[in-house]
Amino acid sequence: MPCTWKTSDLQLLLILTVFSVVALSMDGKQNDSKRLAEVNSSQPVWVDTKVVLSCDPIPESVLVTWEIHLREKPLCTKAYRTDNNMTKETNCTDKRITWAFRPDQNFNLLIDPVAITHDGYYRCLRATPDGNFHRGYNLQVLVAPEVTLFRSNNGTVVCKAVAGKPAARISWIPEGDCVPKQENWGNGTVTVWSTCQWADSNVSTVSCSVSHPTGIRNLTIELSRGAPKSDGISVPRVILFMFISLILLAIVGSMWLLKISGCRKCKLKKIESTPVEEDEMQPYASYTEKKNPLYDTIKRVKTSQVLQSEVDGTEVHTS
């Protein structure tokens, strides 16, 4: 009898162990399926660009729905049924948010162009015979701030990042006695600025570094002059380049005009040289005609012969 009880206890313990292992395995599969069904990611995107949010196709999807949660706006849904190839929209007024392609070929969503108001949560739901799956995106629209560095009237130095999204961060080299401030705008952008002064009189140049998800901008200013130096192309350099270009253009234009006018003068001289030679021959001819004695004698003889012939003719006619 004791051996029989021991055998049955071992069998019961073995059964319980196997049941526990199977239960744990099923629970692990359920957790894996849950993790597969719920996928979320952060999606930063620049303003005034376009973005495509993908909705991975799952075999035997019956219904695909995009849920768009925007700030201070009602829920927008775009749905597509695969069984009858029908689409439906609810509370969707923004024409910049559309299907990227035909929904029967691709379930992706297109936003073009991206605006600040497109900040929000986008989720693609897919209903299948095996259950519902979704993929979500936390869309964050980025706006690069406008950075300036200048000296105020009271002698302090101000580094300012205007209308950035999210707010920028400002740091100084070397560090000084600084007072940071910020101003929030209604469209989600933020303006931050830092006003600093340095007690050390040996500090002649300071640098302001503005960090933002869209990039890092560094500006430098000389405390003695107050003229900021940027890591990019400055406006005075552009003006100087334009001024030099205009001077070179004026010099080239003047040389071209002088060349044209010189060619015209040469042509006029050639044209006037031909009649001058003809005029030089005319005085010589008149001088020969007037001063040559032989020419005068021949002329008198010819004249006397003509008169004599006229007289003879008159006498013959009279007789």
Side-chain angles (χ1 to χ4, degrees):
M1 290 294 293
C3 293
T4 304
W5 283 105
K6 287 182 180 179
T7 302
S8 61
D9 290 342
L10 290 174
Q11 291 177 350
L12 180 61
L13 180 61
L14 180 62
I15 293 172
L16 291 174
T17 302
V18 171
F19 180 78
S20 299
V21 171
V22 172
L24 290 173
S25 177
M26 291 181 63
D27 185 58
K29 291 182 179 179
Q30 289 180 355
N31 290 335
D32 292 340
S33 177
K34 185 176 180 180
R35 285 194 296 269
L36 180 64
E38 299 177 1
V39 179
N40 291 283
S41 61
S42 179
Q43 183 73 32
V45 60
W46 282 54
V47 69
D48 295 329
T49 61
K50 68 178 180 180
V51 63
V52 176
L53 304 179
S54 63
C55 184
D56 300 331
I58 295 178
E60 299 180 357
S61 295
V62 178
L63 179 64
V64 178
T65 304
W66 275 99
E67 293 182 352
I68 303 172
H69 303 261
L70 300 178
R71 296 177 180 176
E72 301 179 357
K73 289 186 178 181
L75 174 65
C76 163
T77 59
K78 293 178 179 288
Y80 169 70
R81 292 190 58 174
T82 59
D83 54 351
N84 57 9
N85 195 25
M86 295 289 293
T87 59
K88 182 180 179 181
E89 295 185 0
T90 305
N91 296 328
C92 299
T93 58
D94 196 332
K95 302 301 181 182
R96 294 167 293 187
I97 305 176
T98 60
W99 295 97
F101 305 96
R102 289 173 48 184
D104 60 337
Q105 298 178 357
N106 194 305
F107 302 147
N108 296 343
L109 193 69
L110 172 66
I111 306 176
D112 184 21
V114 176
I116 297 177
T117 55
H118 291 147
D119 248 0
Y121 181 68
Y122 299 74
R123 182 170 64 171
C124 177
L125 301 170
R126 288 152 293 181
T128 68
D130 296 330
N132 297 331
F133 300 85
H134 80 263
R135 181 181 181 87
Y137 298 90
N138 289 304
L139 192 69
Q140 182 185 21
V141 180
L142 305 178
V143 180
E146 181 181 354
V147 181
T148 57
L149 178 63
F150 58 94
R151 295 192 65 180
S152 61
N153 295 331
N154 58 6
T156 58
V157 181
V158 181
C159 184
K160 199 169 188 179
V162 180
K165 186 177 179 301
R169 292 180 299 173
I170 299 176
S171 60
W172 293 89
I173 299 177
E175 295 182 355
D177 184 10
C178 304
V179 179
K181 292 183 179 180
Q182 76 174 39
E183 182 178 1
N184 298 321
W185 302 97
N187 59 358
T189 60
V190 183
T191 296
V192 296
W193 66 95
S194 177
T195 305
C196 294
Q197 58 183 356
W198 289 263
D200 188 357
S201 58
N202 295 326
V203 177
S204 59
T205 303
V206 295
S207 298
C208 164
S209 179
V210 178
S211 301
H212 192 263
T214 59
I216 299 176
R217 183 76 184 277
N218 297 313
L219 295 176
T220 302
I221 191 172
E222 295 181 1
L223 298 181
S224 58
R225 297 181 181 179
K229 299 180 180 180
S230 174
D231 54 356
I233 299 176
S234 61
V235 175
R237 290 183 180 178
V238 174
I239 295 175
L240 180 60
F241 177 78
M242 293 177 63
F243 181 74
I244 294 174
S245 300
L246 290 175
I247 292 177
L248 293 176
L249 184 62
I251 292 173
V252 173
S254 301
M255 295 176 64
W256 182 69
L257 291 175
L258 289 174
K259 185 177 179 180
I260 292 177
S261 60
C263 292
R264 289 180 178 176
K265 289 181 179 180
C266 291
K267 291 180 179 179
L268 291 175
K269 288 182 179 180
K270 290 181 179 180
I271 295 172
E272 294 174 358
S273 62
T274 302
V276 168
E277 293 178 358
E278 295 178 357
D279 293 338
E280 288 177 356
M281 294 299 295
Q282 290 178 1
Y284 177 77
S286 60
Y287 176 81
T288 304
E289 182 180 357
K290 294 179 181 180
K291 300 297 181 179
N292 195 339
L294 181 60
Y295 179 83
D296 294 339
T297 304
I298 294 172
K299 185 175 181 182
R300 291 194 194 97
V301 171
K302 288 183 178 180
T303 303
S304 62
Q305 290 177 355
V306 171
L307 292 175
Q308 184 64 36
S309 63
E310 288 179 355
V311 171
D312 295 339
T314 303
E315 289 177 356
V316 172
H317 180 71
T318 305
S319 60

